[in-house]
Amino acid sequence: MSVASELSGAPLSLADRAYEGIRDRLVMLDIRPGEPLNDDALAQELGTGRTPVREALKRLEGDRLVVAYPRRGTFATAVDITDLAHISEIRVELEPLAASRAARTASDATRAQLAELAVDITGLDAVVGDRRDLLRRDVEVHRHIYRAAGNPHLEDILVRQDNLATRIWCLFLDRLPAIAGHVGEHAALLEAIVEGEAEKAARLALEHVVGFERAVREVL
């Protein structure tokens, strides 16, 4: 089950299931940049029909994760490192906003969920050796925080930008030795949100985004 469906708790339509399944494969580069996407193969793999897959691909084109060419087909978009500055420009403004808003407005049930997540990711590097699994946990934490902010429009923007940032991270994953620490530092951010410390949560979110960009640029 994808992170989004886990967060909402609601059953997904076939189109939503196809969208999330293909999106997460694109984000983690399981579908490589430039690779063609075959409707029939994806429908069989995801257990849906071709129509939900086609609907999903249209949505993913809006997310800048696929590109469609007339008479040629649909392909995974390239990962362009020059996009890093543009993505970071958005995230340094909105990630702190989401974190501080979550700290101010999250429900008790949401805070309890985030507290459990903070405990879960503490010391994660000691039990998870696969960097890709660690990165999936990073995505999971981000999506929980965006949802906790309680603004669906802000959540939508940040999910899209984090998806693009994660593709860049995946591209350099073997050259980024600090991935475990990058994920683990979320524990303090989650704890700040749980405790209602809005300013601290905003500061930690900003440091996380800036650290991500710095880490990538150091290996270029």
Side-chain angles (χ1 to χ4, degrees), residues 152-170:
H153 301 286
L154 177 62
E155 178 184 0
D156 182 61
I157 293 170
L158 281 171
V159 166
R160 292 186 182 198
Q161 298 307 312
D162 187 58
N163 287 342
L164 297 174
T166 300
R167 296 185 87 216
I168 294 174
W169 192 268
C170 280

PDB file of all heavy atoms in Angstrom, residues 152-170:
ATOM      1  N   PRO A 152      -4.763  21.138   2.216  1.00  0.00           N
ATOM      2  CA  PRO A 152      -4.599  20.231   1.079  1.00  0.00           C
ATOM      3  C   PRO A 152      -3.887  20.860  -0.115  1.00  0.00           C
ATOM      4  O   PRO A 152      -3.225  20.157  -0.877  1.00  0.00           O
ATOM      5  CB  PRO A 152      -6.039  19.840   0.718  1.00  0.00           C
ATOM      6  CG  PRO A 152      -6.899  20.915   1.317  1.00  0.00           C
ATOM      7  CD  PRO A 152      -6.188  21.367   2.549  1.00  0.00           C
ATOM      8  N   HIS A 153      -4.018  22.161  -0.274  1.00  0.00           N
ATOM      9  CA  HIS A 153      -3.339  22.823  -1.397  1.00  0.00           C
ATOM     10  C   HIS A 153      -1.833  22.891  -1.149  1.00  0.00           C
ATOM     11  O   HIS A 153      -1.020  22.648  -2.056  1.00  0.00           O
ATOM     12  CB  HIS A 153      -3.920  24.221  -1.602  1.00  0.00           C
ATOM     13  CG  HIS A 153      -5.387  24.221  -1.883  1.00  0.00           C
ATOM     14  ND1 HIS A 153      -5.905  23.820  -3.100  1.00  0.00           N
ATOM     15  CD2 HIS A 153      -6.452  24.535  -1.101  1.00  0.00           C
ATOM     16  CE1 HIS A 153      -7.224  23.904  -3.058  1.00  0.00           C
ATOM     17  NE2 HIS A 153      -7.580  24.325  -1.856  1.00  0.00           N
ATOM     18  N   LEU A 154      -1.466  23.209   0.079  1.00  0.00           N
ATOM     19  CA  LEU A 154      -0.051  23.200   0.451  1.00  0.00           C
ATOM     20  C   LEU A 154       0.506  21.785   0.347  1.00  0.00           C
ATOM     21  O   LEU A 154       1.622  21.579  -0.163  1.00  0.00           O
ATOM     22  CB  LEU A 154       0.107  23.726   1.882  1.00  0.00           C
ATOM     23  CG  LEU A 154       1.508  23.736   2.480  1.00  0.00           C
ATOM     24  CD1 LEU A 154       2.433  24.642   1.683  1.00  0.00           C
ATOM     25  CD2 LEU A 154       1.444  24.178   3.944  1.00  0.00           C
ATOM     26  N   GLU A 155      -0.243  20.812   0.805  1.00  0.00           N
ATOM     27  CA  GLU A 155       0.176  19.408   0.735  1.00  0.00           C
ATOM     28  C   GLU A 155       0.435  18.989  -0.708  1.00  0.00           C
ATOM     29  O   GLU A 155       1.455  18.345  -1.006  1.00  0.00           O
ATOM     30  CB  GLU A 155      -0.907  18.521   1.355  1.00  0.00           C
ATOM     31  CG  GLU A 155      -0.586  17.039   1.300  1.00  0.00           C
ATOM     32  CD  GLU A 155      -1.725  16.174   1.828  1.00  0.00           C
ATOM     33  OE1 GLU A 155      -2.768  16.722   2.240  1.00  0.00           O
ATOM     34  OE2 GLU A 155      -1.576  14.929   1.816  1.00  0.00           O
ATOM     35  N   ASP A 156      -0.455  19.363  -1.587  1.00  0.00           N
ATOM     36  CA  ASP A 156      -0.326  18.969  -2.996  1.00  0.00           C
ATOM     37  C   ASP A 156       0.956  19.537  -3.608  1.00  0.00           C
ATOM     38  O   ASP A 156       1.704  18.823  -4.287  1.00  0.00           O
ATOM     39  CB  ASP A 156      -1.545  19.460  -3.769  1.00  0.00           C
ATOM     40  CG  ASP A 156      -1.508  19.043  -5.234  1.00  0.00           C
ATOM     41  OD1 ASP A 156      -1.503  17.830  -5.509  1.00  0.00           O
ATOM     42  OD2 ASP A 156      -1.480  19.926  -6.111  1.00  0.00           O
ATOM     43  N   ILE A 157       1.224  20.801  -3.347  1.00  0.00           N
ATOM     44  CA  ILE A 157       2.434  21.432  -3.891  1.00  0.00           C
ATOM     45  C   ILE A 157       3.681  20.752  -3.350  1.00  0.00           C
ATOM     46  O   ILE A 157       4.611  20.425  -4.104  1.00  0.00           O
ATOM     47  CB  ILE A 157       2.457  22.936  -3.548  1.00  0.00           C
ATOM     48  CG1 ILE A 157       1.333  23.674  -4.282  1.00  0.00           C
ATOM     49  CG2 ILE A 157       3.822  23.537  -3.916  1.00  0.00           C
ATOM     50  CD1 ILE A 157       1.144  25.102  -3.799  1.00  0.00           C
ATOM     51  N   LEU A 158       3.704  20.511  -2.049  1.00  0.00           N
ATOM     52  CA  LEU A 158       4.904  19.957  -1.440  1.00  0.00           C
ATOM     53  C   LEU A 158       5.135  18.503  -1.828  1.00  0.00           C
ATOM     54  O   LEU A 158       6.286  18.087  -2.004  1.00  0.00           O
ATOM     55  CB  LEU A 158       4.837  20.106   0.080  1.00  0.00           C
ATOM     56  CG  LEU A 158       5.194  21.504   0.583  1.00  0.00           C
ATOM     57  CD1 LEU A 158       4.903  21.645   2.070  1.00  0.00           C
ATOM     58  CD2 LEU A 158       6.665  21.820   0.303  1.00  0.00           C
ATOM     59  N   VAL A 159       4.082  17.721  -1.954  1.00  0.00           N
ATOM     60  CA  VAL A 159       4.255  16.341  -2.417  1.00  0.00           C
ATOM     61  C   VAL A 159       4.901  16.334  -3.792  1.00  0.00           C
ATOM     62  O   VAL A 159       5.831  15.562  -4.054  1.00  0.00           O
ATOM     63  CB  VAL A 159       2.911  15.595  -2.431  1.00  0.00           C
ATOM     64  CG1 VAL A 159       3.032  14.290  -3.218  1.00  0.00           C
ATOM     65  CG2 VAL A 159       2.451  15.281  -1.017  1.00  0.00           C
ATOM     66  N   ARG A 160       4.432  17.200  -4.665  1.00  0.00           N
ATOM     67  CA  ARG A 160       4.994  17.249  -6.021  1.00  0.00           C
ATOM     68  C   ARG A 160       6.463  17.658  -6.008  1.00  0.00           C
ATOM     69  O   ARG A 160       7.286  17.068  -6.715  1.00  0.00           O
ATOM     70  CB  ARG A 160       4.181  18.223  -6.893  1.00  0.00           C
ATOM     71  CG  ARG A 160       2.775  17.749  -7.193  1.00  0.00           C
ATOM     72  CD  ARG A 160       2.086  18.676  -8.165  1.00  0.00           C
ATOM     73  NE  ARG A 160       0.709  18.255  -8.422  1.00  0.00           N
ATOM     74  CZ  ARG A 160      -0.002  18.660  -9.452  1.00  0.00           C
ATOM     75  NH1 ARG A 160       0.528  19.505 -10.333  1.00  0.00           N
ATOM     76  NH2 ARG A 160      -1.236  18.248  -9.618  1.00  0.00           N
ATOM     77  N   GLN A 161       6.797  18.658  -5.213  1.00  0.00           N
ATOM     78  CA  GLN A 161       8.184  19.113  -5.171  1.00  0.00           C
ATOM     79  C   GLN A 161       9.088  18.080  -4.496  1.00  0.00           C
ATOM     80  O   GLN A 161      10.224  17.864  -4.927  1.00  0.00           O
ATOM     81  CB  GLN A 161       8.278  20.457  -4.441  1.00  0.00           C
ATOM     82  CG  GLN A 161       7.521  21.584  -5.119  1.00  0.00           C
ATOM     83  CD  GLN A 161       7.893  21.752  -6.586  1.00  0.00           C
ATOM     84  OE1 GLN A 161       9.083  21.789  -6.929  1.00  0.00           O
ATOM     85  NE2 GLN A 161       6.907  21.834  -7.460  1.00  0.00           N
ATOM     86  N   ASP A 162       8.583  17.430  -3.455  1.00  0.00           N
ATOM     87  CA  ASP A 162       9.379  16.400  -2.792  1.00  0.00           C
ATOM     88  C   ASP A 162       9.597  15.209  -3.713  1.00  0.00           C
ATOM     89  O   ASP A 162      10.669  14.585  -3.690  1.00  0.00           O
ATOM     90  CB  ASP A 162       8.697  15.950  -1.497  1.00  0.00           C
ATOM     91  CG  ASP A 162       9.568  15.000  -0.692  1.00  0.00           C
ATOM     92  OD1 ASP A 162      10.693  15.385  -0.335  1.00  0.00           O
ATOM     93  OD2 ASP A 162       9.127  13.862  -0.420  1.00  0.00           O
ATOM     94  N   ASN A 163       8.605  14.893  -4.533  1.00  0.00           N
ATOM     95  CA  ASN A 163       8.768  13.818  -5.512  1.00  0.00           C
ATOM     96  C   ASN A 163       9.918  14.122  -6.469  1.00  0.00           C
ATOM     97  O   ASN A 163      10.759  13.258  -6.762  1.00  0.00           O
ATOM     98  CB  ASN A 163       7.476  13.622  -6.312  1.00  0.00           C
ATOM     99  CG  ASN A 163       6.368  12.967  -5.511  1.00  0.00           C
ATOM    100  OD1 ASN A 163       6.620  12.351  -4.481  1.00  0.00           O
ATOM    101  ND2 ASN A 163       5.145  13.106  -5.974  1.00  0.00           N
ATOM    102  N   LEU A 164       9.960  15.357  -6.946  1.00  0.00           N
ATOM    103  CA  LEU A 164      11.023  15.745  -7.872  1.00  0.00           C
ATOM    104  C   LEU A 164      12.384  15.764  -7.173  1.00  0.00           C
ATOM    105  O   LEU A 164      13.400  15.347  -7.751  1.00  0.00           O
ATOM    106  CB  LEU A 164      10.711  17.116  -8.478  1.00  0.00           C
ATOM    107  CG  LEU A 164       9.428  17.192  -9.333  1.00  0.00           C
ATOM    108  CD1 LEU A 164       9.155  18.632  -9.747  1.00  0.00           C
ATOM    109  CD2 LEU A 164       9.533  16.292 -10.561  1.00  0.00           C
ATOM    110  N   ALA A 165      12.407  16.230  -5.933  1.00  0.00           N
ATOM    111  CA  ALA A 165      13.660  16.246  -5.170  1.00  0.00           C
ATOM    112  C   ALA A 165      14.156  14.824  -4.904  1.00  0.00           C
ATOM    113  O   ALA A 165      15.361  14.547  -4.974  1.00  0.00           O
ATOM    114  CB  ALA A 165      13.459  16.989  -3.845  1.00  0.00           C
ATOM    115  N   THR A 166      13.232  13.915  -4.613  1.00  0.00           N
ATOM    116  CA  THR A 166      13.612  12.528  -4.338  1.00  0.00           C
ATOM    117  C   THR A 166      14.200  11.862  -5.562  1.00  0.00           C
ATOM    118  O   THR A 166      15.135  11.056  -5.456  1.00  0.00           O
ATOM    119  CB  THR A 166      12.385  11.732  -3.843  1.00  0.00           C
ATOM    120  OG1 THR A 166      11.879  12.340  -2.651  1.00  0.00           O
ATOM    121  CG2 THR A 166      12.756  10.286  -3.541  1.00  0.00           C
ATOM    122  N   ARG A 167      13.701  12.197  -6.746  1.00  0.00           N
ATOM    123  CA  ARG A 167      14.283  11.639  -7.974  1.00  0.00           C
ATOM    124  C   ARG A 167      15.739  12.067  -8.121  1.00  0.00           C
ATOM    125  O   ARG A 167      16.594  11.276  -8.538  1.00  0.00           O
ATOM    126  CB  ARG A 167      13.483  12.081  -9.205  1.00  0.00           C
ATOM    127  CG  ARG A 167      12.057  11.567  -9.248  1.00  0.00           C
ATOM    128  CD  ARG A 167      11.393  11.945 -10.547  1.00  0.00           C
ATOM    129  NE  ARG A 167      11.649  10.938 -11.580  1.00  0.00           N
ATOM    130  CZ  ARG A 167      11.839  11.201 -12.866  1.00  0.00           C
ATOM    131  NH1 ARG A 167      11.860  12.455 -13.297  1.00  0.00           N
ATOM    132  NH2 ARG A 167      12.054  10.234 -13.728  1.00  0.00           N
ATOM    133  N   ILE A 168      16.027  13.320  -7.782  1.00  0.00           N
ATOM    134  CA  ILE A 168      17.412  13.790  -7.834  1.00  0.00           C
ATOM    135  C   ILE A 168      18.254  13.038  -6.806  1.00  0.00           C
ATOM    136  O   ILE A 168      19.375  12.601  -7.086  1.00  0.00           O
ATOM    137  CB  ILE A 168      17.464  15.314  -7.575  1.00  0.00           C
ATOM    138  CG1 ILE A 168      16.782  16.069  -8.727  1.00  0.00           C
ATOM    139  CG2 ILE A 168      18.907  15.782  -7.405  1.00  0.00           C
ATOM    140  CD1 ILE A 168      16.648  17.563  -8.498  1.00  0.00           C
ATOM    141  N   TRP A 169      17.713  12.873  -5.603  1.00  0.00           N
ATOM    142  CA  TRP A 169      18.419  12.148  -4.540  1.00  0.00           C
ATOM    143  C   TRP A 169      18.727  10.725  -4.997  1.00  0.00           C
ATOM    144  O   TRP A 169      19.834  10.216  -4.789  1.00  0.00           O
ATOM    145  CB  TRP A 169      17.551  12.143  -3.285  1.00  0.00           C
ATOM    146  CG  TRP A 169      18.244  11.689  -2.039  1.00  0.00           C
ATOM    147  CD1 TRP A 169      18.292  10.422  -1.555  1.00  0.00           C
ATOM    148  CD2 TRP A 169      18.987  12.479  -1.122  1.00  0.00           C
ATOM    149  NE1 TRP A 169      19.014  10.378  -0.380  1.00  0.00           N
ATOM    150  CE2 TRP A 169      19.451  11.621  -0.100  1.00  0.00           C
ATOM    151  CE3 TRP A 169      19.303  13.834  -1.061  1.00  0.00           C
ATOM    152  CZ2 TRP A 169      20.219  12.085   0.972  1.00  0.00           C
ATOM    153  CZ3 TRP A 169      20.063  14.293   0.001  1.00  0.00           C
ATOM    154  CH2 TRP A 169      20.512  13.423   0.999  1.00  0.00           C
ATOM    155  N   CYS A 170      17.735  10.068  -5.625  1.00  0.00           N
ATOM    156  CA  CYS A 170      17.927   8.695  -6.105  1.00  0.00           C
ATOM    157  C   CYS A 170      19.051   8.610  -7.128  1.00  0.00           C
ATOM    158  O   CYS A 170      19.808   7.632  -7.162  1.00  0.00           O
ATOM    159  CB  CYS A 170      16.636   8.162  -6.734  1.00  0.00           C
ATOM    160  SG  CYS A 170      15.401   7.578  -5.574  1.00  0.00           S
TER     161      CYS A 170
END
